[in-house]
Each structure stands twice: as C-alpha cells, then as structure tokens.
Amino acid sequence: EPLFAAHGFDPLITVTLISERAMIGILHIAFDRSVPGEIDAAHRCFDALSDALKNEGYYPYHTSPQALSRYRDGDDPFWAALGRIRAALDPKGVVAPGRYIP
C-alpha cells in the first residue's frame, strides 16, 4: 500500500487462495493515459513494486515481456535449465528469439 500511495495510486490488490499453503496476489495499477505524467508514474510504481517483491523473494508467475528482464539472471540455475529446455525444443531459436532467455 505505501508504494502505491508514494506514486499516487490506489492499491488495487486481489488475493486468491489456491491451497492451504499458497496464494496468488494480483496487483493492478489503474491510471488514465490522457493525464500527463500518469504513464511514467505507473511505470515507476511498477518498478518499485517489482523491486520490493523481488527483494522479499516473491517472483511473478506472469508478467509483461518488457518486465521480464528484471527477473532474468544468467547465473541462476533456473535460467540455465530453461536455456537447455529451449535449446532442445527450439534448436534454431525461431520462437521469440531473445525474448525469454538471457
């Protein structure tokens, strides 16, 4: 909530319990594109929220292609395994080249 407020947005948060030990949180940044500065403020809010969640060990299960680079880490074993899977399934790199794998 404080990060939304710091950027001038209301916290629009949906929490869904998917089991007795897990939940999904969906955070919405609602803004008016016609208002000068709103798009930049929304991007700054998104960046702040993403950084805060990542620093606490929470990673998105879904995000925009533009935001994916925030989470890529070429040294992480996850990304190495993903690269090997990608090479096996798409050896010529035809599907979305450079988009998902660092």
Side-chain angles (χ1 to χ4, degrees):
E1 290 179 351
L3 290 175
F4 279 97
H7 293 89
F9 298 103
D10 294 323
L12 304 174
I13 303 169
T14 303
V15 177
T16 303
L17 299 174
I18 57 173
S19 76
E20 46 295 324
R21 294 184 49 187
M23 65 181 153
I24 296 171
I26 300 172
L27 288 66
H28 302 270
I29 303 170
F31 62 96
D32 185 345
R33 290 179 175 273
S34 68
V35 175
E38 284 275 287
I39 294 173
D40 290 336
H43 284 194
R44 286 190 302 275
C45 184
F46 176 86
D47 291 345
L49 290 165
S50 297
D51 289 345
L53 290 166
K54 182 179 175 185
N55 289 340
E56 293 296 324
Y58 297 104
Y59 290 81
Y61 73 95
H62 180 75
T63 191
S64 68
Q66 300 89 331
L68 190 57
S69 64
R70 305 183 77 77
Y71 301 98
R72 292 184 196 153
D73 179 355
D75 297 328
D76 187 315
F78 168 81
W79 291 104
L82 198 58
R84 290 191 299 276
I85 292 168
R86 165 102 186 216
L89 297 175
D90 184 21
K92 294 184 180 180
V94 175
V95 178
R99 187 169 188 177
Y100 300 105
I101 308 298

